[in-house]
Amino acid sequence: MTSADRPATRLATRLSFLVAGFGLACWAPLVPFAKARLAVDDAVLGLLLLSLGIGSVVAMLATGILTARYGSKPIIIAGGIGLALVLPLLALAGTPVTLAVALLAFGAALGSIDVAMNIHAVEVERAAREPLMSGFHALFSIGGFAGSAVMTALLSFHLGPLACTLICSALMLIAMALASPRLLRRAQAQEGPLFVLPHGIVLLLALLAAITFLIEGAMLDWGALLVIGAGLVSEAQGGIGYIVFSIAMTAGRLGGDAIVARIGDRATLVGGSLLAVAGLAVLLLAPSAPIAIAGFLLIGLGASNLVPVLFRGAARQTAMPTGLAVASITTAGYAGVLVGPAGIGFVAHAVGLPTAFWMLAAMMCVVTLSARAVTK
């Protein structure tokens, strides 16, 4: 087996994260074109978008089983190539049914590479004997910025959606071609059970991942509405907070490995979660727009390195095979993103959006209180 502690394997892992973030972000600018092409209303579009989430979650569960037997390399390659091949179909789908099928396949490719690349990252970090996970996750964020920027730029040049997706697909295929020969051949392949119900410390890790991802989803889906509803910014400026949050999270992850190496996993979880709680409090109590934006900044910085530490915990635990544990944590995280924001909507309808965000702050405190248990 190729040594995991090599610059080549680190590069391959970073490229995998970059492709996943890039591919997902390429879809966002295409949504208005798909809605106009199919002539559907918001309700139908929402159901179609749900197909992406369903495909992702189902594939994540299957990927945990497949990587337990075959390793992460073939799943990463299949997922990355799948993203590149399905992306143009999202620009071609001419009926709601065909778009739903394409989104289901796109979500499956995304879910597969997401789980497999994290399993691969765990193996590379373990061999390196130094924190690397935050830097890997930073590449996903950078890929997201790049994907949305490249697709938006191409569309602004008045290229058709299909031509734009073909260009972006070519970029992803080039990245996968560079990554493929450098990936570990059998990273995390193992004998033994192919499926184990999450149990023990893995259940707690999965819960904390769901909470952390829920915070990220809330910033995306509800952050703008919160500050607009408070009269702090206009509708046109509502997205500034999420932009600041995203930049802060990316910056935090780029510097996260050095921070974790200095203070350790437990202090990172405690400090990061408390900083996120403080950011939520600042956001909710802000009397002016600049202070509210500072709240978004604190939340992004605080939450940036929580998930990488939780994945490291999956590698350290002994209750389950590592690959299956990573799949469980990833699936729980996606559930937090997909289901959580909808739950916030129900709570906000009943007691108000600010109260719902105070509840998020209370949930983040669970991460603080659980830090000792998951970093033993």
Side-chain angles (χ1 to χ4, degrees):
M1 179 175 174
T2 304
S3 171
D5 190 16
R6 296 189 307 131
T9 55
R10 297 187 188 189
L11 173 62
T13 310
R14 292 187 178 104
L15 286 172
S16 301
F17 276 82
L18 184 70
V19 166
F22 186 91
L24 177 60
C26 283
W27 160 239
L30 296 175
V31 173
F33 291 89
K35 182 180 179 182
R37 185 172 64 252
L38 301 181
V40 297
D41 57 23
D42 289 342
V44 174
L45 181 63
L47 289 175
L48 290 173
L49 294 177
L50 185 61
S51 299
L52 192 152
I54 292 173
S56 294
V57 171
V58 172
M60 285 176 182
L61 295 173
T63 299
I65 297 173
L66 292 172
T67 54
R69 179 64 71 219
Y70 302 109
S72 58
K73 178 176 180 175
I75 313 300
I76 292 174
I77 295 172
I81 293 176
L83 283 176
L85 295 182
V86 176
L87 181 62
L89 300 181
L90 302 180
L92 286 174
T95 67
V97 173
T98 55
L99 181 59
V101 172
L103 284 171
L104 197 71
F106 193 71
L110 178 66
S112 297
I113 192 173
D114 203 318
V115 172
M117 71 190 186
N118 275 294
I119 293 173
H120 192 275
V122 163
E123 185 70 13
V124 172
E125 184 184 64
R126 178 186 289 155
R129 297 183 178 179
E130 62 176 311
L132 297 173
M133 193 67 72
S134 292
F136 292 148
H137 280 257
L139 265 295
F140 183 90
S141 300
I142 292 171
F145 282 123
S148 114
V150 170
M151 181 63 75
T152 301
L154 291 172
L155 290 169
S156 69
F157 292 149
H158 303 293
L159 293 176
L162 178 58
C164 295
T165 57
L166 289 173
I167 293 172
C168 290
S169 292
L171 294 175
M172 285 190 281
L173 289 173
I174 291 171
M176 291 309 303
L178 291 173
S180 177
R182 296 169 174 83
L183 291 167
L184 298 173
R185 293 184 179 179
R186 296 279 292 177
Q188 285 299 333
Q190 60 193 34
E191 300 298 327
L194 295 180
F195 177 76
V196 178
L197 285 173
H199 59 275
I201 195 65
V202 176
L203 280 176
L204 180 57
L205 288 167
L207 171 63
L208 301 185
I211 291 172
T212 306
F213 276 99
L214 171 56
I215 298 294
E216 296 183 30
M219 293 300 104
L220 172 62
D221 294 329
W222 295 101
L225 292 176
L226 181 69
V227 291
I228 292 171
L232 299 178
V233 300
S234 66
E235 290 185 0
Q237 298 174 323
I240 295 176
Y242 184 72
I243 292 172
V244 171
F245 168 82
S246 299
I247 293 173
M249 176 163 282
T250 303
R253 285 177 171 171
L254 286 172
D257 292 328
I259 293 173
V260 173
R262 179 177 292 273
I263 68 175
D265 286 346
R266 185 177 303 173
T268 300
L269 280 181
V270 172
S273 58
L274 288 177
L275 188 60
V277 170
L280 285 164
V282 169
L283 175 60
L284 288 161
L285 299 174
S288 63
I291 295 178
I293 298 303
F296 281 104
L297 177 69
L298 293 176
I299 297 167
L301 289 174
S304 60
N305 293 301
L306 300 182
V307 169
V309 170
L310 296 176
F311 277 115
R312 192 174 297 115
R316 191 167 44 239
Q317 58 80 38
T318 57
M320 290 176 60
T322 301
L324 297 179
V326 170
S328 298
I329 293 170
T330 306
T331 304
Y334 264 70
V337 169
L338 296 172
V339 179
I344 292 173
F346 287 113
V347 174
H349 179 73
V351 296
L353 190 55
T355 301
F357 266 70
W358 281 118
M359 293 174 66
L360 291 177
M363 294 172 66
M364 182 56 77
C365 290
V366 176
V367 178
T368 309
L369 297 174
S370 304
R372 182 179 181 86
V374 298
T375 55
K376 289 181 179 179

